């Protein structure tokens, strides 16, 4: 079976935790998009792992982890990350592979990325990891793929500076390079988990363009960036938080008001520890936006949702979520493409009673307080998508599963 995990908001939904959880039943984990702009956190016991390029499945000792062709890879960052994993007693040798069709991030792209963003009238607030330039070179057909390092035709076409840089890394990377299409065919009967990066609203096509990243973080990206056809994907899981966050600039219709809702914003940011894993920037926070979530469910064919960070609302008397946008007195329920419109709309909210209970010890969905179940049921009905997984803390154990995505219905 093939199961896909993607972000259903603006990234940082808790994909790393979910991938680690679902990896138990997978033999292979394939990351299919983005690069070192991502930051995926996994907490097991007393150890916290922060991964940027390496698929989250690497934490489990017997799994194979693959960096798919939809990714853009900074080889030096990858080896830094692997060195950190070694220092955390993770043995990765022999079980991490890179698609020969994945594009590389060259050192100069990083400066170009920061300079380009600074020059914009309205900067995006990129992570400065050279992501946009790597994807731009790919689209211009001047990019360098991981397999190109060993291909005399490709090497002949490279600038001397790039040749010299790659020559230094060549032997280190050689054992990891595979033909992912052939690999996926060979392992087609196995359980494979596809790990998304970023989120639907940061996807280059269906996100809040131009305030997006440059890769395909939508579910279709799992097929393209993981070297399989779309019919091979059996179950798509969309991860979302009980509220919304965004790092960097761009429209955020349900964002808490910086003045009148400052206390709420501070509470959510501190309780949810909402600071970026890659850049350390404080994340912007807001209500759960059901207009955007329903858009994500439809555009990704999400089969089931995984709700995370429900515990962050444990102490609240009441909880609001956004059910529509007010646009000049009209209630909108379709997610608009216009940035001007997204900037101007106001969230229309619905209020729920808080559960005022510590959820972290609850192991079964049935044992959740009725107020929490009401919040969940409303989201399911609105999005017409089941919430099969509820996370009430960052630890693996703080997870409730209602239906196993690996079991075919
Ligand atoms: P990703 O990019 O989607 O993998 O998410 P990040 O790792 O960037 O950010 C999610 C953060 O929330 C991490 O610090 C996780 O350890 C943490 N986290 C994940 N699930 C939960 C949850 O249910 N409750 C709380 N409080 N924290 C969570
Ligand atoms: P994970 O996988 C949250 C944001 C950046 C910026 C925009 C473009 O951890 O969920 P880029 O450097 O990609 O060109 O920046 O996208 N961004 C993310 N925000 N989580 C991420 O990844 C992100 N990856 C990129 O903050 O606004
Ligand atoms: Mg993250």
């Amino acid at each position: 079976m093939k199961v896909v995990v993607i972000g259903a908001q603006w990234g940082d939904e808790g994909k790393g935790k979910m991938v680690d959880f679902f990896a138990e039943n997978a033999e292979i984990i394939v990351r299919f998009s983005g690069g070192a702009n991502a930051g995926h956190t996994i907490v097991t016991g007393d150890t916290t792992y922060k991964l940027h390029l390496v698929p989250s499945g690497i934490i489990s000792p017997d799994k194979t982890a693959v960096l798919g062709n939809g990714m853009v890879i900074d080889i030096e960052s990858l080896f830094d990350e692997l060195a950190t994993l070694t220092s955390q007693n993770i043995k990765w040798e022999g079980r991490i592979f890179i698609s020969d069709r994945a594009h590389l991030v060259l050192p100069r792209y990083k400066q170009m990325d920061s300079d380009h963003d600074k020059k914009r009238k309205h900067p995006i607030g990129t992570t400065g990891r050279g992501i946009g330039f790597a994807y731009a070179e790919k689209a211009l057909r001047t990019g360098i793929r991981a397999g190109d390092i060993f291909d005399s035709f490709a090497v002949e076409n490279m600038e001397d500076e790039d040749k010299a840089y790659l020559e230094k890394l060549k032997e280190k990377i050689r054992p990891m390079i595979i033909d992912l299409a052939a690999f996926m065919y060979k392992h087609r009967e196995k359980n494979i988990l596809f790990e998304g990066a970023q989120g639907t609203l940061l996807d280059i096509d269906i996100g809040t363009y131009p305030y997006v990243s440059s890769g395909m973080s939508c579910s279709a990206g799992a097929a393209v960036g993981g070297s399989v056809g779309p019919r091979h994907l059996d179950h798509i899981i969309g991860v979302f938080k009980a509220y919304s966050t965004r790092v960097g600039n761009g429209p955020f219709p349900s964002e808490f008001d910086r003045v009148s809702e400052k206390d709420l914003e501070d509470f959510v940011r501190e309780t949810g520890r909402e600071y970026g894993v890659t850049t350390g920037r404080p994340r912007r926070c807001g209500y759960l936006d059901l207009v955007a979530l329903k858009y994500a469910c439809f555009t990704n064919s999400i089969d089931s949702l995984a709700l995370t960070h429900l515990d962050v609302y444990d102490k609240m008397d009441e909880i609001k979520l956004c059910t529509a946008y007010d646009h000049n007195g009209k209630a909108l329920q379709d997610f608009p493409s216009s940035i001007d419109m997204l900037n101007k709309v106001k969230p229309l909210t619905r209020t729920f009673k808080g559960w005022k209970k510590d959820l972290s010890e609850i192991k079964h969905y049935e044992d959740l307080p009725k107020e929490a179940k009401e919040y969940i049921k409303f989201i399911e009905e609105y999005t017409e998508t089941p919430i099969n997984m509820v996370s009430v803390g960052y630890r693996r154990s703080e997870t409730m599963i209602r239906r196993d995505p690996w079991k075919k219905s």
Side-chain angles (χ1 to χ4, degrees):
M1 248 191 111
K2 314 279 178 293
V3 172
V4 181
V5 173
I6 54 157
Q9 295 167 311
W10 278 285
D12 303 327
E13 298 90 347
K15 298 177 292 296
K17 172 182 163 165
M18 288 300 148
V19 169
D20 174 59
F21 190 88
F22 290 122
E24 198 184 343
N25 289 311
E27 285 181 60
I28 301 163
I29 295 88
V30 182
R31 215 342 253 275
F32 62 83
S33 70
N37 51 347
H40 296 180
T41 316
I42 298 151
V43 185
T44 59
D46 294 335
T47 314
T48 298
Y49 303 94
K50 294 183 179 191
L51 303 173
H52 302 281
L53 284 159
V54 177
S56 300
I58 203 78
I59 306 307
S60 311
D62 52 342
K63 313 291 174 191
T64 298
V66 183
L67 283 73
N69 47 275
M71 291 186 70
V72 287
I73 301 165
D74 175 345
I75 306 177
E76 285 177 289
S77 296
L78 175 64
F79 282 107
D80 287 347
E81 205 173 313
L82 291 172
T84 306
L85 285 173
T86 301
S87 72
Q88 291 183 302
N89 295 319
I90 299 290
K91 300 211 180 336
W92 50 266
E93 289 87 352
R95 56 189 191 95
I96 179 157
F97 299 100
I98 300 172
S99 165
D100 56 1
R101 293 179 175 90
H103 278 250
L104 300 180
V105 173
L106 297 174
R108 63 174 178 281
Y109 296 170
K110 292 182 238 179
Q111 193 60 48
M112 287 159 85
D113 176 5
S114 305
D115 292 346
H116 188 262
D117 202 35
K118 275 189 214 121
K119 269 194 237 138
R120 285 174 181 271
K121 205 165 180 185
H122 300 289
I124 294 169
T126 69
T127 58
R129 301 295 191 269
I131 304 300
F133 274 85
Y135 282 113
E137 294 287 344
K138 174 179 180 176
L140 283 169
R141 288 141 297 159
T142 42
I144 297 178
R145 301 174 301 172
D148 290 346
I149 308 176
F150 311 97
D151 182 273
S152 53
F153 177 81
V155 171
E156 217 174 276
N157 280 305
M158 286 179 198
E159 302 288 336
D160 288 345
E161 177 199 357
D162 299 339
K163 249 190 253 180
Y165 170 71
L166 295 171
E167 188 60 36
K168 281 191 291 177
L169 300 164
K170 195 172 172 178
E171 291 315 314
K172 268 177 104 175
I173 198 177
R174 191 191 288 275
M176 297 181 185
I177 304 293
I178 56 166
D179 173 345
L180 183 57
F183 178 92
M184 293 303 265
Y185 181 71
K186 184 174 161 200
H187 297 291
R188 64 193 177 283
E189 300 302 333
K190 293 193 171 151
N191 276 357
I192 301 181
L193 184 61
F194 292 83
E195 174 176 358
Q198 289 77 56
T200 303
L201 302 172
L202 289 173
D203 178 90
I204 185 78
D205 275 273
I206 55 179
T208 50
Y209 190 90
Y211 296 95
V212 290
S213 188
S214 307
M216 285 181 80
S217 36
C218 59
S219 61
V224 180
S227 283
V228 293
R231 272 204 296 270
H232 286 90
L233 309 177
D234 297 293
H235 190 99
I236 294 157
I237 300 171
V239 187
F240 76 107
K241 283 176 180 163
Y243 45 93
S244 304
T245 61
R246 171 160 211 171
V247 206
N249 303 324
F252 188 175
S254 66
E255 186 169 16
F256 297 138
D257 185 278
R258 286 274 154 76
V259 180
S260 64
E261 292 171 321
K262 187 174 183 316
D263 290 349
L264 180 57
E265 185 190 35
D266 288 348
F267 172 81
V268 169
R269 183 176 297 129
E270 295 316 313
T271 313
R273 306 197 293 183
E274 295 298 352
Y275 293 88
V277 180
T278 302
T279 57
R281 289 178 288 181
R283 296 176 181 146
R284 296 157 65 193
C285 303
Y287 300 113
L288 174 61
D289 180 345
L290 291 186
V291 178
L293 188 64
K294 187 165 183 175
Y295 171 75
C297 286
F298 180 70
T299 52
N300 290 299
S301 302
I302 289 176
D303 293 297
S304 66
L305 287 163
L307 164 62
T308 64
H309 296 77
L310 193 61
D311 53 294
V312 173
Y313 277 162
D314 281 359
K315 292 198 171 81
M316 306 268 285
D317 293 322
E318 54 175 40
I319 294 160
K320 285 184 188 170
L321 50 64
C322 166
T323 54
Y325 301 152
D326 174 12
H327 184 248
N328 297 331
K330 268 201 197 133
L332 279 187
Q333 282 191 312
D334 291 323
F335 191 75
S337 69
S338 157
I339 298 298
D340 184 51
M341 218 160 147
L342 284 165
N343 279 338
K344 285 181 182 152
V345 294
K346 297 275 168 260
L348 295 172
T349 57
R350 182 179 170 119
T351 307
F352 291 79
K353 203 163 168 267
W355 42 91
K356 307 275 279 176
K357 194 172 179 233
D358 176 4
L359 301 185
S360 63
E361 296 296 320
I362 298 179
K363 300 282 173 245
H364 303 286
Y365 179 82
E366 297 70 44
D367 299 329
L368 280 172
K370 76 172 189 326
E371 293 83 359
K373 283 189 196 148
E374 273 163 25
Y375 189 68
I376 292 171
K377 187 159 172 269
F378 186 83
I379 301 167
E380 289 184 307
E381 284 175 357
Y382 189 107
T383 58
E384 298 171 30
T385 312
I387 296 178
N388 285 352
M389 177 87 154
V390 180
S391 167
V392 289
Y394 50 82
R395 294 181 190 88
R396 226 183 237 176
S397 57
E398 292 165 328
T399 320
M400 287 163 240
I401 183 147
R402 292 171 83 187
R403 194 170 180 162
D404 184 353
W406 293 108
K407 287 201 181 114
K408 278 199 173 153
S409 49

